[in-house]
């Protein structure tokens, strides 16, 4: 997992997360509003809302902001959003899956298509990329909750498929917080996260994600791939971006030299 940790450090040093902080909160709030509009304001009775609130808390979103988003959804302000998945290819044939929530499908499609075309990629047909990924559960906890062996044992006992632990962050200039990552089968995410919460409290994040079956190493394309990721994440309707690019040491070196 060293590559994962270094990749996150690069993202922070380039200011991607700081720059996108307000946009991140906006996307989290929209997810909460949509969830509360569809399933009601009680997270104990609305698994989607509970997941959205947990993720907002994991990103340190203020409680008042979370409650306002819930109230907006209950009040019918969640908007007539449609959930859309786009698939496309980036530089070097990297596969991308883009999840969006939009009240204007044409606008969302145009923004995503433009992001691909301006950054060395192309939007593909539905199914052109998805077959290279699996939908799985992903849970993250800060390193301080337990050591690597402790999380591995807890994950196995809770029914997780795999546990990975980042090395401690030795870059004093990086804001990235290393994590334990717990992987689950799609249908087991709720049960595993509930068991882990009994042991360690609320997770930093809980998500269903698109995990690549195989990753592609393209060190000379790292900067272009990152530019495409930035462009996609800057789209107002885009909620999540997934890819199958492997961030190796060689690829990271090209970014660090920039």
């Amino acid at each position: 997992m060293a590559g994962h940790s270094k990749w996150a450090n690069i993202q922070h040093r380039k200011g991607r997360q700081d720059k996108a902080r307000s946009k991140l909160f906006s996307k989290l709030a929209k997810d909460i509003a949509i969830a509360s509009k569809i399933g009601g304001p009680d997270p104990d009775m609305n698994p989607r809302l509970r997941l959205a609130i947990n993720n907002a808390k994991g990103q340190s979103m203020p409680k008042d902001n979370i409650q306002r988003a819930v109230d907006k959804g209950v009040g019918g302000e969640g908007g007539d959003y449609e959930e859309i998945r786009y698939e496309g290819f980036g530089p070097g044939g990297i596969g991308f899956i883009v999840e969006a929530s939009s009240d204007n499908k044409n606008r969302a499609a145009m923004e995503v298509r433009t992001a691909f075309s301006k950054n060395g990629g192309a939007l593909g047909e539905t199914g052109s990329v998805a077959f290279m990924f699996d939908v799985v559960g992903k849970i993250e906890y800060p390193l301080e909750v337990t050591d690597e062996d402790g999380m591995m044992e807890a994950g196995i006992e809770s029914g997780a498929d795999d546990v990975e632990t980042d090395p401690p962050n030795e870059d004093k200039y990086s804001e990235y917080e290393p994590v334990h990552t717990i992987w689950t089968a799609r249908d087991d995410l709720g049960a595993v996260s509930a068991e882990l919460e009994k042991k360690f409290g609320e997770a930093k994040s809980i998500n269903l994600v698109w995990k690549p079956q195989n990753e592609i190493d393209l060190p000379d394309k790292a900067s272009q791939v990152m530019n495409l990721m930035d462009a996609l994440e800057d789209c107002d309707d885009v909620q999540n971006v997934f890819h199958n690019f492997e961030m190796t040491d060689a690829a990271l070196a090209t970014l660090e030299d920039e």
Side-chain angles (χ1 to χ4, degrees):
M1 289 300 291
H4 166 73
S5 180
K6 291 178 182 178
W7 175 221
N9 287 342
I10 287 288
Q11 290 176 301
H12 280 276
R13 278 206 296 270
K14 287 180 174 290
R16 289 183 69 243
Q17 294 299 324
D18 290 340
K19 181 183 69 175
R21 195 68 174 171
S22 62
K23 185 177 290 292
L24 172 63
F25 280 0
S26 176
K27 291 181 178 182
L28 290 168
K30 181 164 71 171
D31 201 26
I32 291 170
I34 294 171
S36 64
K37 180 179 181 181
I38 294 173
D42 184 355
D44 291 332
M45 301 298 293
N46 184 344
R48 176 171 174 171
L49 177 60
R50 183 168 63 251
L51 181 61
I53 289 176
N54 284 343
N55 287 331
K57 288 180 178 178
Q59 295 295 334
S60 301
M61 187 173 179
K63 291 182 179 179
D64 289 346
N65 293 34
I66 293 174
Q67 188 58 52
R68 280 198 297 271
V70 172
D71 294 341
K72 283 184 178 180
V74 173
E77 297 182 41
D80 295 324
Y81 289 102
E82 180 179 358
E83 295 184 339
I84 316 161
R85 185 182 81 234
Y86 300 101
E87 302 176 31
F89 295 92
I94 297 297
F96 278 84
I97 293 181
V98 181
E99 294 179 336
S101 294
S102 179
D103 57 358
N104 187 323
K105 189 174 181 178
N106 291 333
R107 179 193 66 216
M110 181 181 67
E111 289 184 346
V112 171
R113 187 183 300 277
T114 299
F116 272 106
S117 62
K118 287 187 174 181
N119 292 279
L123 195 62
E125 298 292 332
T126 299
S128 61
V129 173
F131 73 94
M132 297 186 287
F133 292 73
D134 295 316
V135 180
V136 299
K138 181 181 181 182
I139 306 166
E140 292 184 335
Y141 273 96
L143 292 190
E144 56 262 29
V145 299
T146 187
D147 59 19
E148 183 174 0
D149 291 339
M151 184 57 75
M152 178 65 73
E153 181 179 353
I156 292 173
E157 291 178 350
S158 301
D161 287 346
D162 194 15
V163 177
E164 299 171 334
T165 297
D166 288 337
N169 188 3
E170 297 180 355
D171 183 349
K172 63 181 181 180
Y173 298 107
S174 174
E175 298 176 13
Y176 173 68
E177 298 179 5
V179 294
H180 299 288
T181 302
I182 300 91
W183 299 99
T184 79
R186 177 175 186 167
D187 294 339
D188 293 340
L189 177 60
V192 173
S193 62
E195 287 300 311
L196 291 174
E197 184 172 344
K198 294 177 184 177
K199 297 181 175 70
F200 306 119
E202 290 185 353
K204 179 179 176 65
S205 68
I206 306 171
N207 289 292
L208 283 173
V209 303
W210 291 84
K211 185 179 182 182
Q213 296 168 359
N214 297 289
E215 294 182 312
I216 300 173
D217 173 20
L218 291 173
D220 59 327
K221 303 287 186 179
S223 180
Q224 295 178 41
V225 171
M226 187 170 179
N227 288 339
L228 176 53
M229 288 177 62
D230 284 342
L232 289 169
E233 290 177 350
D234 280 343
C235 296
D236 289 337
D237 294 318
V238 170
Q239 295 292 101
N240 299 295
V241 179
F242 305 98
H243 65 84
N244 62 351
F245 177 44
E246 181 178 6
M247 187 52 65
T248 62
D249 288 341
L252 284 164
T254 66
L255 295 177
E256 291 172 335
D257 291 339
E258 294 181 1

